[in-house]
């Protein structure tokens, strides 16, 4: 069983609620932190925040100069650099009064947030074959490359794979993939596993709607191959989009939490664990899980899952942070095999306008969905 707890944040360390934000984990000399940008609050935002698990909670980070405009459904990816990671990349998204974007911004975090020093943003001049504008995609660091998968614009959904060299001259290349290429999708998850692979799960397809398929992408140089994963001997993870995923510290397991399943306007609060080495999957019974939600993010800080933000069907959740200890994912799977994984954990959500159809409100970062503003069609 995984036991969730709501962190008691200091008064100065609380962030307003947000969904459809961009976030990533970065390593600092003081321990792991989460950097979060933009998203939907009351309208779209371009605020930058950092969460410190040491106890300080959230701290808003001002911009030293020009910064990206408000946007949602963008991606934020840390450039790996050892024990003190200061640089991140913000790519694409859905911008206020702009629609879909393909901008690439470089972010340098300040050394000392308490000094009042601002974050340094720089709009990058990209080279190579630049990806089309999009939102609802994923961007995953694999070594010194960033892999962008899928997403959509106002007319198309994508199943393409692009690699960016995360250094000068910031060159892109579209990767032609072998194997069984997944269907186009948006609002899926793509998690780095096994060192140099990416696990893609779920998402929304205009053709097939909510997806529950799982695929493993192997990248070697400028080549890549797809492999569908079939856990037919286990209970499948129910279809969903707008969920969150995070890998275990050893890269052998992936946790999946929450999301939206399109069935009866239902946000979810269930958690699943996938074992790549043992090719197993199971639902984790949770004690006091976060309220049903979608559009949130989840990161693993020191073998503790942290759930941030999200949407309850009518509004964003408050800026609470939920934590669960997952230092033994293999043990969790063993306990499931012993029968300790009952219950669907789905919750009811509140279903207010949480459907998915064209022609809705674009203001929250989508091409319309009749209330949830996700553009899931």
């Amino acid at each position: 069983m995984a036991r969730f707890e709501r962190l008691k944040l200091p008064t100065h360390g609380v962030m307003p609620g947000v969904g459809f934000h961009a976030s990533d984990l970065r390593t600092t000399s003081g321990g792991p932190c989460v950097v979060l940008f933009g998203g939907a609050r009351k309208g779209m935002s371009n605020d930058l925040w950092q969460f410190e698990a040491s106890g300080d909670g959230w701290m808003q980070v001002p911009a030293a100069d020009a910064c990206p405009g408000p946007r949602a459904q963008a991606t934020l990816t840390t450039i790996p650099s050892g024990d003190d990671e200061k640089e991140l990349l913000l790519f694409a998204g859905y911008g206020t009064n702009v629609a879909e974007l393909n901008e690439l911004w470089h972010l340098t975090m300040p050394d000392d947030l308490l000094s009042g020093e601002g974050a340094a943003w720089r709009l990058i001049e990209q080279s190579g074959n630049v990806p089309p504008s999009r939102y609802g995609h994923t961007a995953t660091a694999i070594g010194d490359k960033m892999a962008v998968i899928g997403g959509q614009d106002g007319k198309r959904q994508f199943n393409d794979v692009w690699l960016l060299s995360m250094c000068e001259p910031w060159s892109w290349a579209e990767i032609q993939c072998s194997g069984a290429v997944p269907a186009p999708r948006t609002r899926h998850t793509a998690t780095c596993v096994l060192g140099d692979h990416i696990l893609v799960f779920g998402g929304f397809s205009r053709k097939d709607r909510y997806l529950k398929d799982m695929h493993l992408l192997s990248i070697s140089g400028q080549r890549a191959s797809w492999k569908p994963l079939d856990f037919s001997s286990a209970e499948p993870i129910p279809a969903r989009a707008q969920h969150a995923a995070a890998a275990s510290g050893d890269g052998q397991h992936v946790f999946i939490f929450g999301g939206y399943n399109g069935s009866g306007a239902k946000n979810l609060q269930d958690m699943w664990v996938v074992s790549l080495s043992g090719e197993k999957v199971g639902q984790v019974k949770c004690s006091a899980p976060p309220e049903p939600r979608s559009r949130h993010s989840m990161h693993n800080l020191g073998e503790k899952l942290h759930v941030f933000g999200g949407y309850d069907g009518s509004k964003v959740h408050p800026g609470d942070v939920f934590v669960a200890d997952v230092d033994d994912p293999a043990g969790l799977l063993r306990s499931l095999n012993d029968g300790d994984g009952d219950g669907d954990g789905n919750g009811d959500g509140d279903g207010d306008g949480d459907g998915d159809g064209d022609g809705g409100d674009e203001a929250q970062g989508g091409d319309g969905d009749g209330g949830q503003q996700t553009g899931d069609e």
Side-chain angles (χ1 to χ4, degrees), residues 19 37 59 80-81 106 109 112 142 155 188 197 210 275:
F37 175 82
M59 181 173 293
S81 59
H106 180 274
M109 295 292 290
D112 182 6
I142 298 290
K155 298 180 179 179
H188 49 288
H197 293 65
Y210 293 87
S275 169

Coordinates of all heavy atoms in Angstrom, one line a residue, residues 19 37 59 80-81 106 109 112 142 155 188 197 210 275:
G19 N -3.1 24.1 -13.4 CA -3.2 22.9 -14.2 C -2.6 23.1 -15.6 O -2.5 24.3 -16.0
F37 N 6.4 26.1 -14.7 CA 6.1 27.3 -15.4 C 4.7 27.3 -16.0 O 4.3 26.3 -16.6 CB 7.1 27.5 -16.6 CG 6.9 28.6 -17.5 CD1 7.3 29.9 -17.1 CD2 6.1 28.5 -18.7 CE1 7.0 31.0 -17.9 CE2 5.8 29.5 -19.5 CZ 6.3 30.8 -19.1
M59 N 8.5 28.7 -4.1 CA 9.0 30.1 -4.1 C 8.8 30.6 -5.5 O 9.3 30.0 -6.5 CB 10.4 30.2 -3.7 CG 11.0 31.6 -3.7 SD 12.6 31.7 -2.9 CE 12.3 31.3 -1.2
P80 N 20.6 17.9 -18.4 CA 21.4 17.2 -17.4 C 22.8 17.8 -17.3 O 23.4 18.0 -18.3 CB 21.4 15.7 -18.0 CG 20.2 15.7 -18.9 CD 20.1 17.0 -19.5
S81 N 23.2 18.0 -16.1 CA 24.6 18.6 -15.9 C 25.2 18.2 -14.6 O 25.9 19.0 -14.0 CB 24.6 20.1 -16.1 OG 23.7 20.7 -15.2
H106 N 15.4 29.1 -23.5 CA 16.4 28.6 -22.6 C 16.3 29.3 -21.2 O 16.2 30.6 -21.2 CB 17.8 28.8 -23.1 CG 18.9 28.4 -22.3 ND1 19.5 29.1 -21.3 CD2 19.6 27.2 -22.2 CE1 20.5 28.5 -20.7 NE2 20.6 27.3 -21.2
M109 N 18.3 29.1 -14.0 CA 17.8 29.5 -12.7 C 18.9 30.2 -11.9 O 20.1 29.9 -12.0 CB 17.4 28.2 -12.0 CG 16.2 27.5 -12.6 SD 14.7 28.4 -12.5 CE 14.3 28.2 -10.7
D112 N 20.8 31.7 -6.1 CA 20.2 31.8 -4.7 C 18.9 32.5 -4.9 O 18.8 33.7 -5.2 CB 21.1 32.7 -3.8 CG 20.6 32.8 -2.4 OD1 19.5 32.2 -2.1 OD2 21.2 33.6 -1.6
I142 N 17.0 12.5 -22.9 CA 17.7 11.2 -23.1 C 19.1 11.5 -23.3 O 19.5 11.9 -24.5 CB 17.1 10.4 -24.2 CG1 15.6 10.0 -23.9 CG2 17.9 9.1 -24.4 CD1 15.4 9.0 -22.8
K155 N -5.5 21.5 -36.1 CA -6.1 20.7 -37.2 C -5.6 19.2 -37.1 O -6.3 18.3 -37.5 CB -5.8 21.2 -38.6 CG -6.4 22.6 -38.8 CD -6.0 23.1 -40.2 CE -6.6 24.5 -40.5 NZ -6.2 25.0 -41.9
H188 N -0.5 12.5 -23.5 CA 0.0 11.3 -23.0 C 1.1 11.5 -22.0 O 1.4 12.7 -21.7 CB 0.5 10.4 -24.2 CG 1.4 11.2 -25.1 ND1 0.9 12.3 -25.9 CD2 2.8 11.2 -25.3 CE1 2.0 12.8 -26.6 NE2 3.1 12.2 -26.2
H197 N 15.6 4.6 -22.8 CA 14.3 4.3 -23.4 C 13.3 5.2 -22.9 O 13.4 5.9 -21.9 CB 13.9 2.8 -23.1 CG 14.8 1.8 -23.7 ND1 16.1 1.6 -23.4 CD2 14.5 0.9 -24.7 CE1 16.6 0.6 -24.1 NE2 15.7 0.2 -24.9
Y210 N -9.9 7.9 -25.8 CA -9.0 7.7 -24.7 C -8.3 6.4 -24.9 O -8.9 5.4 -25.2 CB -9.7 7.8 -23.4 CG -10.2 9.3 -23.2 CD1 -11.4 9.7 -23.7 CD2 -9.4 10.2 -22.6 CE1 -11.9 11.0 -23.6 CE2 -9.8 11.5 -22.5 CZ -11.0 11.9 -23.0 OH -11.4 13.2 -23.0
S275 N 6.4 -2.4 -14.1 CA 7.8 -2.9 -14.0 C 8.3 -3.3 -15.4 O 7.7 -4.1 -16.0 CB 7.8 -4.2 -13.1 OG 9.1 -4.8 -13.2

